[in-house]
Amino acid sequence: MNKLKFKLYTVVTFLFLLSLSCNDDFLERSPIVNISDANFWKTANDLELYVNNFYNRSDLLDGYTNFGSIGPYGVDADNGTDTQVTYNYNTRMNGEATNPASGGGWAVNDWATLRNINYFMVNYNKVDAPWDQVKVYVGESLFFRSLFYFGKLKTFGDLPWITSTLDNTSNILYEGRLPRNQVVDSIMLDLDKAIEYLPERGPSYTGRITKEVALLLQARIALYEGTWEKYHGIKNTPFKVVNSDGAKFIQKAMETSNALITLAESNGNTKLADCTGEAGYTNLFNQRDYSSNKEVLLWRKYSVNDGQYTRWGAYYYGAGRGLTKSLVDSYLCMDGKPISVSDKYQGDKTLKNVVANRDPRLNQTIFVDDGKHILFTDNNTFFATPGFEGVIANSCPTGYQLYKGFNTNYTECINQQSTIGTIYFRYAEALLIYAEAKAELGTITQMDIDRTINALRSRVGMNEGLLNINNIVTDPNWEFKNISPLLNEIRRERKVEFACEGFRRDDIFRWAVVDEVMVGKKPKGAIKSQWKNYPNTTDAFVEAWSVLGEDENGYIDPFKSYPTMDNGYRFNLGRDYLQPLPTNELTLNPELGQNPGW
């Protein structure tokens, strides 16, 4: 029973039907839900049973059940970012993507979830039940439609907006896509209704979508679109939105995140988890049950006995992923100063040096050979060296090995049956959205900073390093030269707090900064020489370590042997921010139009 703590009953049968015409465009397919309408749509319980299916859709809430997955903690590497990499470079981020003839996220099956949701929306009113019993499931369906569309928006930009089931006579089949900002307008309306219909989170976790979750999704999407429009407009990229600077969406993000924060402060059912102590932050990400955690708003529970688990294999070797020097260097020292200017910084000669006097979240995000970072509780073993010697697909490519979310159960790791819960939404995101939106709008105050950024720092014991907007220490290595010091620090906080949680590619895309953080640059890892003659290592470790790529400054260069990466990433700035529509779909409906550069 992994479905967010409630059981999925198989009452509705999902079937794929044949196309109504020779056109295989998704809009010309019948709804994929085949049920007996005469016997269904009777009670509110029917609605619940139908909506339950959405919680298990991987295109809505990924269960991370594929082999090699390490849950959300590997997404930044798999997507290709400047903060986390896999053992092989990401071809899309290196400008090597190609235009598919079919599929590519626009195939028939890729729109199945939308058809299912819309089928619900045109049939739920057949139920003879009080509105108070019905509206919660309408709210959940509107939430899931918004979540679905957000995924498509990030992939393709402009989209058709479909709210009904269609047949091959519908005019919309032959029309073009709507501009992305109009699509987001519709998403906002859906979420306004969802927020109205959904109940607040109570003192006990139910596993269902609540008002708080919908508020957070709305704030997330609004900030994404608002900053996308603002920064792609400022840089005049092909992805800008004509006659829109994103301000209204940034305002919406501010208002919605503030509403969530205010709600949390008023009822006490949502709040930041206590992350004090040596492992407080670590423990936020390695639980099997988050039912009593008030920061985690929505999560997925697993059980090996029920055959539900994630495939976290060879995680103790690094699972084929590693954090980059760019991420590690972003963590402040305990005095709140960047490593470039703080006299607290101990350098990076060893892992222990790297984390000394630094933001405690760093020490709890990477493995350190300090006799405290446990590998497995079953046999009481501790981390000593990165897993360079594993099979290349499992080994750590940078020396900065991920500790966040690590499963210390040896049996589960060996069997690739991890039951660490998957977090989908947590309250900390609302704080970071609020701070960023207010800073973008130019209305942020110290009180706002204390309510958000400083709350996150305080809860990990970083009380000497709180942010003062009137006394921001200049960092000569700020990532972004064309924004204010305050926005740089807010972006740094987001980078650190959500390290390796799957947010980074979305962030650098919406800020239009791939040219600043990746193009012409190569990801680097830890100082290689620190493991020379390291005690008690095996011959396999020494052999694997000896062939690691290394740059002129002694840092591990994981992609040194790849000629296509000699001069850093080759991301195509005029093309690769969005994916292409398949050529077959454009032949069938030229009005769809192709994305820039393809």
Side-chain angles (χ1 to χ4, degrees), residues 12-31:
V12 183
T13 303
F14 291 85
L15 296 174
F16 289 101
L17 302 181
L18 294 176
S19 174
L20 297 176
S21 75
C22 62
N23 186 339
D24 69 352
D25 183 86
F26 83 99
L27 294 176
E28 292 206 45
R29 294 297 180 112
S30 299

PDB file of all heavy atoms in Angstrom, residues 12-31:
ATOM      1  N   VAL A  12     -12.627   1.236 -11.478  1.00  0.00           N
ATOM      2  CA  VAL A  12     -12.616   1.811 -12.812  1.00  0.00           C
ATOM      3  C   VAL A  12     -11.559   1.108 -13.645  1.00  0.00           C
ATOM      4  O   VAL A  12     -10.422   0.982 -13.234  1.00  0.00           O
ATOM      5  CB  VAL A  12     -12.312   3.312 -12.732  1.00  0.00           C
ATOM      6  CG1 VAL A  12     -12.369   3.932 -14.123  1.00  0.00           C
ATOM      7  CG2 VAL A  12     -13.298   3.989 -11.807  1.00  0.00           C
ATOM      8  N   THR A  13     -11.914   0.625 -14.805  1.00  0.00           N
ATOM      9  CA  THR A  13     -10.972  -0.054 -15.690  1.00  0.00           C
ATOM     10  C   THR A  13     -10.481   0.908 -16.754  1.00  0.00           C
ATOM     11  O   THR A  13     -11.273   1.532 -17.447  1.00  0.00           O
ATOM     12  CB  THR A  13     -11.638  -1.251 -16.378  1.00  0.00           C
ATOM     13  OG1 THR A  13     -12.136  -2.117 -15.369  1.00  0.00           O
ATOM     14  CG2 THR A  13     -10.637  -1.988 -17.251  1.00  0.00           C
ATOM     15  N   PHE A  14      -9.147   1.046 -16.831  1.00  0.00           N
ATOM     16  CA  PHE A  14      -8.547   1.947 -17.812  1.00  0.00           C
ATOM     17  C   PHE A  14      -8.175   1.160 -19.065  1.00  0.00           C
ATOM     18  O   PHE A  14      -7.446   0.186 -19.009  1.00  0.00           O
ATOM     19  CB  PHE A  14      -7.302   2.602 -17.220  1.00  0.00           C
ATOM     20  CG  PHE A  14      -7.620   3.573 -16.133  1.00  0.00           C
ATOM     21  CD1 PHE A  14      -7.800   3.145 -14.834  1.00  0.00           C
ATOM     22  CD2 PHE A  14      -7.776   4.922 -16.422  1.00  0.00           C
ATOM     23  CE1 PHE A  14      -8.116   4.031 -13.844  1.00  0.00           C
ATOM     24  CE2 PHE A  14      -8.081   5.819 -15.426  1.00  0.00           C
ATOM     25  CZ  PHE A  14      -8.256   5.377 -14.135  1.00  0.00           C
ATOM     26  N   LEU A  15      -8.679   1.607 -20.194  1.00  0.00           N
ATOM     27  CA  LEU A  15      -8.405   0.958 -21.473  1.00  0.00           C
ATOM     28  C   LEU A  15      -8.000   1.984 -22.511  1.00  0.00           C
ATOM     29  O   LEU A  15      -8.558   3.087 -22.564  1.00  0.00           O
ATOM     30  CB  LEU A  15      -9.653   0.224 -21.981  1.00  0.00           C
ATOM     31  CG  LEU A  15     -10.167  -0.953 -21.127  1.00  0.00           C
ATOM     32  CD1 LEU A  15     -11.471  -1.452 -21.712  1.00  0.00           C
ATOM     33  CD2 LEU A  15      -9.135  -2.072 -21.095  1.00  0.00           C
ATOM     34  N   PHE A  16      -7.040   1.633 -23.321  1.00  0.00           N
ATOM     35  CA  PHE A  16      -6.707   2.486 -24.470  1.00  0.00           C
ATOM     36  C   PHE A  16      -7.567   2.064 -25.656  1.00  0.00           C
ATOM     37  O   PHE A  16      -7.667   0.882 -25.984  1.00  0.00           O
ATOM     38  CB  PHE A  16      -5.229   2.325 -24.842  1.00  0.00           C
ATOM     39  CG  PHE A  16      -4.294   2.922 -23.859  1.00  0.00           C
ATOM     40  CD1 PHE A  16      -3.639   2.131 -22.936  1.00  0.00           C
ATOM     41  CD2 PHE A  16      -4.098   4.292 -23.838  1.00  0.00           C
ATOM     42  CE1 PHE A  16      -2.793   2.702 -22.024  1.00  0.00           C
ATOM     43  CE2 PHE A  16      -3.252   4.861 -22.927  1.00  0.00           C
ATOM     44  CZ  PHE A  16      -2.594   4.063 -22.009  1.00  0.00           C
ATOM     45  N   LEU A  17      -8.202   3.034 -26.265  1.00  0.00           N
ATOM     46  CA  LEU A  17      -9.069   2.771 -27.404  1.00  0.00           C
ATOM     47  C   LEU A  17      -8.389   3.159 -28.703  1.00  0.00           C
ATOM     48  O   LEU A  17      -7.475   3.963 -28.724  1.00  0.00           O
ATOM     49  CB  LEU A  17     -10.380   3.564 -27.235  1.00  0.00           C
ATOM     50  CG  LEU A  17     -11.175   3.269 -25.947  1.00  0.00           C
ATOM     51  CD1 LEU A  17     -12.453   4.094 -25.934  1.00  0.00           C
ATOM     52  CD2 LEU A  17     -11.509   1.790 -25.847  1.00  0.00           C
ATOM     53  N   LEU A  18      -8.865   2.609 -29.792  1.00  0.00           N
ATOM     54  CA  LEU A  18      -8.305   2.934 -31.097  1.00  0.00           C
ATOM     55  C   LEU A  18      -8.678   4.346 -31.490  1.00  0.00           C
ATOM     56  O   LEU A  18      -9.674   4.909 -31.054  1.00  0.00           O
ATOM     57  CB  LEU A  18      -8.834   1.950 -32.138  1.00  0.00           C
ATOM     58  CG  LEU A  18      -8.392   0.501 -31.961  1.00  0.00           C
ATOM     59  CD1 LEU A  18      -9.070  -0.355 -33.005  1.00  0.00           C
ATOM     60  CD2 LEU A  18      -6.886   0.376 -32.063  1.00  0.00           C
ATOM     61  N   SER A  19      -7.852   4.923 -32.339  1.00  0.00           N
ATOM     62  CA  SER A  19      -8.100   6.277 -32.825  1.00  0.00           C
ATOM     63  C   SER A  19      -9.390   6.332 -33.629  1.00  0.00           C
ATOM     64  O   SER A  19      -9.795   5.363 -34.259  1.00  0.00           O
ATOM     65  CB  SER A  19      -6.942   6.737 -33.717  1.00  0.00           C
ATOM     66  OG  SER A  19      -7.235   7.975 -34.299  1.00  0.00           O
ATOM     67  N   LEU A  20     -10.037   7.507 -33.573  1.00  0.00           N
ATOM     68  CA  LEU A  20     -11.252   7.701 -34.353  1.00  0.00           C
ATOM     69  C   LEU A  20     -10.951   8.030 -35.808  1.00  0.00           C
ATOM     70  O   LEU A  20     -11.847   8.085 -36.641  1.00  0.00           O
ATOM     71  CB  LEU A  20     -12.096   8.821 -33.726  1.00  0.00           C
ATOM     72  CG  LEU A  20     -12.605   8.520 -32.310  1.00  0.00           C
ATOM     73  CD1 LEU A  20     -13.337   9.740 -31.769  1.00  0.00           C
ATOM     74  CD2 LEU A  20     -13.530   7.323 -32.316  1.00  0.00           C
ATOM     75  N   SER A  21      -9.707   8.281 -36.121  1.00  0.00           N
ATOM     76  CA  SER A  21      -9.324   8.529 -37.514  1.00  0.00           C
ATOM     77  C   SER A  21      -7.887   8.109 -37.700  1.00  0.00           C
ATOM     78  O   SER A  21      -7.258   7.621 -36.779  1.00  0.00           O
ATOM     79  CB  SER A  21      -9.499  10.006 -37.852  1.00  0.00           C
ATOM     80  OG  SER A  21      -8.462  10.762 -37.262  1.00  0.00           O
ATOM     81  N   CYS A  22      -7.345   8.335 -38.891  1.00  0.00           N
ATOM     82  CA  CYS A  22      -5.973   7.936 -39.153  1.00  0.00           C
ATOM     83  C   CYS A  22      -4.974   8.828 -38.428  1.00  0.00           C
ATOM     84  O   CYS A  22      -3.814   8.467 -38.290  1.00  0.00           O
ATOM     85  CB  CYS A  22      -5.688   7.954 -40.650  1.00  0.00           C
ATOM     86  SG  CYS A  22      -5.862   9.607 -41.385  1.00  0.00           S
ATOM     87  N   ASN A  23      -5.406   9.999 -37.971  1.00  0.00           N
ATOM     88  CA  ASN A  23      -4.526  10.912 -37.244  1.00  0.00           C
ATOM     89  C   ASN A  23      -4.276  10.353 -35.852  1.00  0.00           C
ATOM     90  O   ASN A  23      -5.216  10.090 -35.099  1.00  0.00           O
ATOM     91  CB  ASN A  23      -5.205  12.287 -37.145  1.00  0.00           C
ATOM     92  CG  ASN A  23      -4.289  13.329 -36.542  1.00  0.00           C
ATOM     93  OD1 ASN A  23      -3.340  12.999 -35.859  1.00  0.00           O
ATOM     94  ND2 ASN A  23      -4.606  14.585 -36.795  1.00  0.00           N
ATOM     95  N   ASP A  24      -2.990  10.142 -35.468  1.00  0.00           N
ATOM     96  CA  ASP A  24      -2.712   9.602 -34.139  1.00  0.00           C
ATOM     97  C   ASP A  24      -2.385  10.684 -33.135  1.00  0.00           C
ATOM     98  O   ASP A  24      -1.871  10.412 -32.067  1.00  0.00           O
ATOM     99  CB  ASP A  24      -1.593   8.553 -34.187  1.00  0.00           C
ATOM    100  CG  ASP A  24      -0.237   9.162 -34.493  1.00  0.00           C
ATOM    101  OD1 ASP A  24      -0.181  10.359 -34.818  1.00  0.00           O
ATOM    102  OD2 ASP A  24       0.760   8.419 -34.406  1.00  0.00           O
ATOM    103  N   ASP A  25      -2.712  11.927 -33.472  1.00  0.00           N
ATOM    104  CA  ASP A  25      -2.543  13.007 -32.515  1.00  0.00           C
ATOM    105  C   ASP A  25      -3.397  12.725 -31.291  1.00  0.00           C
ATOM    106  O   ASP A  25      -4.512  12.217 -31.384  1.00  0.00           O
ATOM    107  CB  ASP A  25      -2.952  14.336 -33.148  1.00  0.00           C
ATOM    108  CG  ASP A  25      -2.733  15.499 -32.211  1.00  0.00           C
ATOM    109  OD1 ASP A  25      -1.602  16.017 -32.196  1.00  0.00           O
ATOM    110  OD2 ASP A  25      -3.684  15.861 -31.494  1.00  0.00           O
ATOM    111  N   PHE A  26      -2.866  13.095 -30.108  1.00  0.00           N
ATOM    112  CA  PHE A  26      -3.557  12.726 -28.877  1.00  0.00           C
ATOM    113  C   PHE A  26      -4.981  13.278 -28.817  1.00  0.00           C
ATOM    114  O   PHE A  26      -5.866  12.681 -28.231  1.00  0.00           O
ATOM    115  CB  PHE A  26      -2.765  13.218 -27.660  1.00  0.00           C
ATOM    116  CG  PHE A  26      -3.007  14.660 -27.306  1.00  0.00           C
ATOM    117  CD1 PHE A  26      -3.889  14.998 -26.300  1.00  0.00           C
ATOM    118  CD2 PHE A  26      -2.347  15.676 -27.980  1.00  0.00           C
ATOM    119  CE1 PHE A  26      -4.108  16.320 -25.962  1.00  0.00           C
ATOM    120  CE2 PHE A  26      -2.555  16.989 -27.651  1.00  0.00           C
ATOM    121  CZ  PHE A  26      -3.444  17.322 -26.638  1.00  0.00           C
ATOM    122  N   LEU A  27      -5.230  14.420 -29.424  1.00  0.00           N
ATOM    123  CA  LEU A  27      -6.547  15.034 -29.324  1.00  0.00           C
ATOM    124  C   LEU A  27      -7.609  14.272 -30.107  1.00  0.00           C
ATOM    125  O   LEU A  27      -8.798  14.500 -29.939  1.00  0.00           O
ATOM    126  CB  LEU A  27      -6.483  16.482 -29.814  1.00  0.00           C
ATOM    127  CG  LEU A  27      -5.644  17.414 -28.948  1.00  0.00           C
ATOM    128  CD1 LEU A  27      -5.577  18.791 -29.600  1.00  0.00           C
ATOM    129  CD2 LEU A  27      -6.218  17.532 -27.557  1.00  0.00           C
ATOM    130  N   GLU A  28      -7.188  13.362 -30.975  1.00  0.00           N
ATOM    131  CA  GLU A  28      -8.158  12.612 -31.775  1.00  0.00           C
ATOM    132  C   GLU A  28      -8.430  11.243 -31.179  1.00  0.00           C
ATOM    133  O   GLU A  28      -9.004  10.371 -31.821  1.00  0.00           O
ATOM    134  CB  GLU A  28      -7.655  12.472 -33.211  1.00  0.00           C
ATOM    135  CG  GLU A  28      -7.614  13.791 -33.949  1.00  0.00           C
ATOM    136  CD  GLU A  28      -7.727  13.613 -35.426  1.00  0.00           C
ATOM    137  OE1 GLU A  28      -8.589  12.838 -35.873  1.00  0.00           O
ATOM    138  OE2 GLU A  28      -6.940  14.223 -36.145  1.00  0.00           O
ATOM    139  N   ARG A  29      -8.026  11.053 -29.932  1.00  0.00           N
ATOM    140  CA  ARG A  29      -8.314   9.793 -29.270  1.00  0.00           C
ATOM    141  C   ARG A  29      -9.527   9.939 -28.364  1.00  0.00           C
ATOM    142  O   ARG A  29      -9.779  10.982 -27.795  1.00  0.00           O
ATOM    143  CB  ARG A  29      -7.108   9.344 -28.429  1.00  0.00           C
ATOM    144  CG  ARG A  29      -5.878   8.986 -29.283  1.00  0.00           C
ATOM    145  CD  ARG A  29      -6.158   7.805 -30.202  1.00  0.00           C
ATOM    146  NE  ARG A  29      -4.999   7.477 -31.006  1.00  0.00           N
ATOM    147  CZ  ARG A  29      -4.307   6.342 -30.850  1.00  0.00           C
ATOM    148  NH1 ARG A  29      -4.621   5.479 -29.943  1.00  0.00           N
ATOM    149  NH2 ARG A  29      -3.281   6.104 -31.644  1.00  0.00           N
ATOM    150  N   SER A  30     -10.255   8.841 -28.220  1.00  0.00           N
ATOM    151  CA  SER A  30     -11.347   8.839 -27.260  1.00  0.00           C
ATOM    152  C   SER A  30     -10.772   8.853 -25.844  1.00  0.00           C
ATOM    153  O   SER A  30      -9.616   8.492 -25.641  1.00  0.00           O
ATOM    154  CB  SER A  30     -12.201   7.579 -27.429  1.00  0.00           C
ATOM    155  OG  SER A  30     -12.766   7.525 -28.710  1.00  0.00           O
ATOM    156  N   PRO A  31     -11.589   9.237 -24.871  1.00  0.00           N
ATOM    157  CA  PRO A  31     -11.103   9.161 -23.490  1.00  0.00           C
ATOM    158  C   PRO A  31     -10.669   7.741 -23.171  1.00  0.00           C
ATOM    159  O   PRO A  31     -11.290   6.778 -23.626  1.00  0.00           O
ATOM    160  CB  PRO A  31     -12.332   9.556 -22.659  1.00  0.00           C
ATOM    161  CG  PRO A  31     -13.187  10.351 -23.595  1.00  0.00           C
ATOM    162  CD  PRO A  31     -12.959   9.741 -24.950  1.00  0.00           C
TER     163      PRO A  31
END
